[in-house]
Amino acid sequence: MKKLINEGDKAVDECVEGFLKLNKGTVKRVGDVNAIARREAPIEGKVGIVIGGGAGHEPLFLEFIGEGMADAVAHGDIFAAPSPKVALEATRAADGGEGVLYIYGNYEGDIMNFDMAAEMAESEGIKTETIRVRDDVASAGPENKEERRGISGDLFVIKIAGAKAKTCADLDEVKKTVEKARDNTRSIGIALTSATLPNTGEKTFEIGDDEMEVGMGVHGEPGVERTEIKKAEETTQIMVEKLIEDLPFKKNDEVLALVNSYGATTRLELHIVYNELSKILEKRKIDVYNAEVGAYCTTQEMAGCSITLMKLDEELKRLYNTDVNTPGYKFFKK
Amino acid sequence: MKKLINEGDKAVDECVEGFLKLNKGTVKRVGDVNAIARREAPIEGKVGIVIGGGAGHEPLFLEFIGEGMADAVAHGDIFAAPSPKVALEATRAADGGEGVLYIYGNYEGDIMNFDMAAEMAESEGIKTETIRVRDDVASAGPENKEERRGISGDLFVIKIAGAKAKTCADLDEVKKTVEKARDNTRSIGIALTSATLPNTGEKTFEIGDDEMEVGMGVHGEPGVERTEIKKAEETTQIMVEKLIEDLPFKKNDEVLALVNSYGATTRLELHIVYNELSKILEKRKIDVYNAEVGAYCTTQEMAGCSITLMKLDEELKRLYNTDVNTPGYKFFKK
């Protein structure tokens, strides 16, 4: 296995150790588990934002805590949900008296464990609400939106949540806005290579030297189509068409766009894909309000990328412009 | 080739196209070549910082232009120096009357072409000075420092340069400080896998499934030792020992540290390496003033990483705390 680790089953704990040392001025461990909060948490009078999920997708979720994003993270094992105990520790750390909003990807293990944490929190007098991100249009049809998985759309949804919570809106108001952000977000991914799990050394799936898979999930869940590798232009076209027709995004819509690397795909390639994406959106008169390229939701060293679009309204635009200063994502309005 | 590109020989141009669209509010193309400047350039009364080198190492150099870093970049082809014409266009765009400081890696092609640009600039009345980054301790012995290659140390050296230029120091003063930053910086890299060049489809070198190479350069230049893959602890030890004894870094020194991914190496691994690095530095009572982990100087999808240390004094600490807001690197003091 071509990875810089020690023991595979200690990789997540050692990553968290390193993360805590690297960011010692701004984050802290809470409880005796992999629950980490920003130093200032809990912030009185502000809804707490708790995010989490399996490890292995860094910077998501671990590195999205801090100014303008989440208050605490419940960090699981490789591709495995955090336990209810970890989620509860994160909840306690984030609650400043106004309750906590959970944001996580729509996966069975995460749902079960965060729901259990919510019950335990309630018995301690902490109110919680939940938003499950389900942006991956390839994972279920539009008639089964509730079954869709969460992928790179997390970045924008968490950013909006952090910004809304900062306005000191109450829990219902924060939930309502984040729900809108979630429902306005669509993503799709493609994979060119498999990934290796650091804990087991196993590959997530097999794929031929000349193949790519459209709609591949971030844990190697099968996609919708396996084809020969196509050029960036055609690949982007295939991905974006699926996004646009799903919401649907329409002429004169304003959107946020993200071209996200799943791992080994370089920034050179991401910019080429962004160039193709721009051309398609311009032709359809869909206006890019702002865009990001980078590796924000990864699947270890898997080559491939995802594209995310979020439709904006005036509230979402205003919130999006809130500064973010976290270890894994920084945003400063110029 | 498992890359999201169109034609290999257009990859760099299309990347620049995408980059210009993505950052249309903050950067601009100058001349009709791959010279790109921050929108505000030239800034009157400020020494211009011009960086550059071959493409394929993104975000270095292309994405390091903007607030707190460089004024213009001369972007070459894949692993190939920018032409004198491109470097001259970047120079013209960056000169606000106080002259221009060139910062680039110590490679033959870059030296030749930037030197030619400097001559042409001089004939136009633009004063230039040059700092060649040569942080890679594996590329030549301490007695031949002038022959060493530049790798991930570029990040910190360019950051210091941008900060110093912002104080409106004159060209000699900026050069002197950046020279100190350069001379206080040491890096070393390791490679676990090869990289594929997007323009040719060729691999940069061959390496066995159980091998790693210590000291591998960012264009596949041979390193100092090929061994079986070791654990993160031992690998980090090997790398850091070479850095520490070279300067040498001593007890009570304050340093900046960078754990840089060369491509496919994940942030999970980078944090594990940072954890090991912290332990070694703590044991030697070398104090980490600040540190970064991330992919700043890459070699396409090559798995591997580099570690950089820069020894600080009061001036360098003060300058390091200057905010940076560029597409490829953001730094905001909390």
Side-chain angles (χ1 to χ4, degrees):
Chain A
M1 181 168 32
K2 293 245 158 169
K3 292 202 191 262
L4 287 163
I5 58 172
N6 292 308
E7 304 302 330
D9 57 2
K10 288 184 186 144
V12 173
D13 288 346
E14 291 180 0
C15 168
V16 171
E17 273 311 313
F19 178 76
L20 289 166
K21 285 177 189 165
L22 183 69
N23 302 290
K24 59 177 184 276
T26 59
V27 303
K28 59 187 177 189
R29 188 193 290 272
V30 289
D32 198 21
V33 293
N34 285 338
I36 297 108
R38 58 188 287 197
R39 187 185 44 184
E40 306 86 355
I43 299 173
E44 210 179 316
K46 189 184 88 69
V47 169
I49 303 295
V50 169
I51 60 176
H57 306 297
E58 291 75 20
L60 179 77
F61 291 91
L62 179 63
E63 301 180 63
F64 290 167
I65 48 173
E67 182 64 29
M69 294 278 270
D71 296 283
V73 62
H75 197 53
D77 229 318
I78 298 291
F79 292 5
S83 72
K85 181 176 156 50
V86 176
L88 180 64
E89 289 289 0
T91 311
R92 286 172 178 155
D95 181 45
E98 294 296 319
V100 164
L101 182 67
Y102 293 145
I103 304 171
Y104 55 84
N106 190 33
Y107 298 92
E108 260 180 51
D110 295 294
I111 295 169
M112 196 170 71
N113 291 359
F114 273 101
D115 279 355
M116 283 177 68
E119 270 181 44
M120 295 189 279
E122 202 185 332
S123 75
E124 296 183 9
I126 304 173
K127 228 171 99 181
T128 67
E129 291 285 355
T130 296
I131 295 290
R132 295 175 189 132
V133 179
R134 49 191 200 202
D135 52 325
D136 183 357
V137 301
S139 56
E143 67 290 357
N144 293 311
K145 280 199 190 79
E146 291 71 21
E147 293 171 22
R148 285 179 173 174
R149 300 183 293 255
I151 54 173
S152 49
D154 285 321
L155 179 76
F156 290 150
V157 176
I158 298 167
K159 186 175 194 314
I160 295 293
K164 183 70 181 182
K166 218 176 158 178
T167 66
C168 290
D170 68 24
L171 184 56
D172 287 344
E173 291 166 335
V174 176
K175 186 190 175 184
K176 202 176 146 200
T177 296
V178 179
E179 200 157 42
K180 176 173 68 179
R182 188 266 315 262
D183 292 343
N184 281 6
T185 302
R186 296 291 183 280
S187 302
I188 188 166
I190 57 146
L192 303 180
T193 69
S194 177
T196 313
L197 299 181
N199 49 343
T200 62
E202 274 169 30
K203 289 200 164 182
T204 48
F205 56 90
E206 294 295 329
I207 189 163
D209 280 348
D210 56 350
E211 289 180 323
M212 68 179 208
E213 183 153 328
V214 179
M216 174 69 72
V218 293
H219 312 93
E221 298 96 337
V224 291
E225 192 188 2
R226 187 167 286 207
T227 68
E228 81 283 12
I229 296 181
K230 298 180 201 297
K231 290 187 177 173
E233 184 180 358
E234 194 180 347
T235 304
T236 308
Q237 185 82 40
I238 291 168
M239 295 170 79
V240 180
E241 289 303 326
K242 288 192 201 296
L243 295 186
I244 287 178
E245 70 195 23
D246 193 88
L247 189 64
F249 293 89
K250 293 183 196 134
K251 189 175 157 177
N252 297 327
D253 277 352
E254 283 185 284
V255 299
L256 295 179
L258 167 65
V259 179
N260 171 69
S261 172
Y262 274 150
T265 291
T266 61
R267 294 182 71 95
L268 180 133
E269 293 161 83
L270 298 182
H271 282 100
I272 293 172
V273 171
Y274 183 74
N275 191 35
E276 299 299 339
L277 172 63
S278 289
K279 288 190 235 170
I280 298 168
L281 295 178
E282 197 177 342
K283 198 178 277 177
R284 287 172 169 270
K285 299 199 184 340
I286 294 169
D287 188 40
V288 178
Y289 180 72
N290 214 337
E292 299 270 359
V293 312
Y296 294 110
C297 164
T298 64
T299 294
Q300 291 297 296
E301 80 287 9
M302 183 169 96
C305 78
S306 62
I307 297 176
T308 296
L309 296 177
M310 178 190 279
K311 182 178 164 173
L312 297 173
D313 61 11
E314 290 309 312
E315 184 195 20
L316 294 176
K317 272 199 274 187
R318 202 171 54 243
L319 292 171
Y320 176 72
N321 285 317
T322 305
D323 287 350
V324 167
N325 198 1
T326 72
Y329 178 58
K330 295 181 204 295
F331 176 92
F332 289 82
K333 195 69 190 162
K334 266 162 276 206
Chain B
M1 182 168 31
K2 294 245 157 170
K3 292 203 190 259
L4 288 163
I5 57 172
N6 292 308
E7 304 303 328
D9 57 1
K10 289 185 187 146
V12 173
D13 288 346
E14 291 181 359
C15 167
V16 171
E17 273 308 315
F19 178 77
L20 289 166
K21 285 178 189 165
L22 183 69
N23 302 290
K24 58 178 182 275
T26 59
V27 303
K28 61 187 176 188
R29 189 194 290 273
V30 289
D32 197 21
V33 293
N34 286 338
I36 298 107
R38 58 187 289 197
R39 187 186 41 184
E40 305 85 356
I43 300 172
E44 209 178 318
K46 189 183 87 67
V47 169
I49 304 295
V50 169
I51 59 176
H57 306 295
E58 292 73 21
L60 179 78
F61 291 91
L62 178 63
E63 302 182 61
F64 289 167
I65 48 172
E67 182 63 29
M69 295 278 272
D71 295 282
V73 61
H75 197 52
D77 229 319
I78 299 290
F79 292 4
S83 71
K85 179 174 157 51
V86 175
L88 180 63
E89 289 289 0
T91 311
R92 287 170 177 157
D95 180 46
E98 294 297 320
V100 164
L101 182 68
Y102 293 145
I103 304 171
Y104 55 84
N106 190 32
Y107 297 92
E108 260 181 52
D110 294 295
I111 295 170
M112 194 170 71
N113 291 358
F114 273 101
D115 279 356
M116 281 176 69
E119 271 182 46
M120 294 189 279
E122 203 185 334
S123 75
E124 296 183 10
I126 305 174
K127 227 171 102 181
T128 67
E129 290 285 355
T130 297
I131 295 291
R132 296 175 188 134
V133 179
R134 49 190 200 203
D135 52 325
D136 183 357
V137 300
S139 56
E143 67 290 357
N144 293 311
K145 281 199 188 80
E146 291 69 22
E147 291 171 22
R148 286 180 172 174
R149 299 183 294 254
I151 54 173
S152 49
D154 285 321
L155 179 75
F156 290 150
V157 176
I158 297 167
K159 186 176 194 313
I160 295 294
K164 183 69 181 182
K166 218 177 158 177
T167 67
C168 291
D170 69 24
L171 184 56
D172 286 343
E173 291 166 336
V174 176
K175 186 189 176 186
K176 202 175 146 201
T177 296
V178 178
E179 200 158 39
K180 175 173 67 178
R182 188 267 312 265
D183 291 342
N184 281 6
T185 302
R186 296 291 184 278
S187 303
I188 188 167
I190 58 146
L192 303 180
T193 69
S194 176
T196 314
L197 300 181
N199 49 342
T200 62
E202 273 169 31
K203 289 199 164 181
T204 46
F205 57 90
E206 294 295 328
I207 188 162
D209 281 348
D210 56 350
E211 288 180 323
M212 66 179 208
E213 183 152 328
V214 179
M216 174 69 72
V218 294
H219 312 94
E221 297 96 337
V224 289
E225 194 189 0
R226 187 166 285 207
T227 70
E228 81 283 11
I229 295 182
K230 298 179 201 296
K231 291 186 176 171
E233 184 181 358
E234 193 179 348
T235 304
T236 308
Q237 186 81 42
I238 290 169
M239 294 169 80
V240 179
E241 289 303 326
K242 288 192 202 291
L243 294 186
I244 287 177
E245 70 196 25
D246 193 87
L247 189 63
F249 294 90
K250 294 184 197 132
K251 190 174 157 179
N252 298 326
D253 277 353
E254 284 186 283
V255 299
L256 295 178
L258 166 65
V259 179
N260 170 68
S261 173
Y262 275 150
T265 291
T266 63
R267 293 182 71 94
L268 181 133
E269 294 160 83
L270 298 182
H271 282 99
I272 293 172
V273 172
Y274 183 73
N275 191 35
E276 298 299 339
L277 172 64
S278 289
K279 288 190 237 170
I280 298 168
L281 296 178
E282 198 178 342
K283 197 177 279 177
R284 287 174 170 268
K285 300 202 185 335
I286 294 170
D287 187 40
V288 178
Y289 180 73
N290 214 336
E292 300 270 358
V293 313
Y296 294 110
C297 163
T298 65
T299 294
Q300 292 296 296
E301 80 286 12
M302 183 169 94
C305 78
S306 62
I307 297 176
T308 296
L309 296 177
M310 178 191 280
K311 182 178 163 174
L312 297 174
D313 63 10
E314 290 309 313
E315 183 196 21
L316 294 176
K317 273 198 273 186
R318 203 171 54 243
L319 292 171
Y320 176 72
N321 285 317
T322 304
D323 288 349
V324 167
N325 198 3
T326 72
Y329 178 58
K330 295 180 205 296
F331 175 93
F332 288 83
K333 195 70 191 161
K334 266 163 274 205

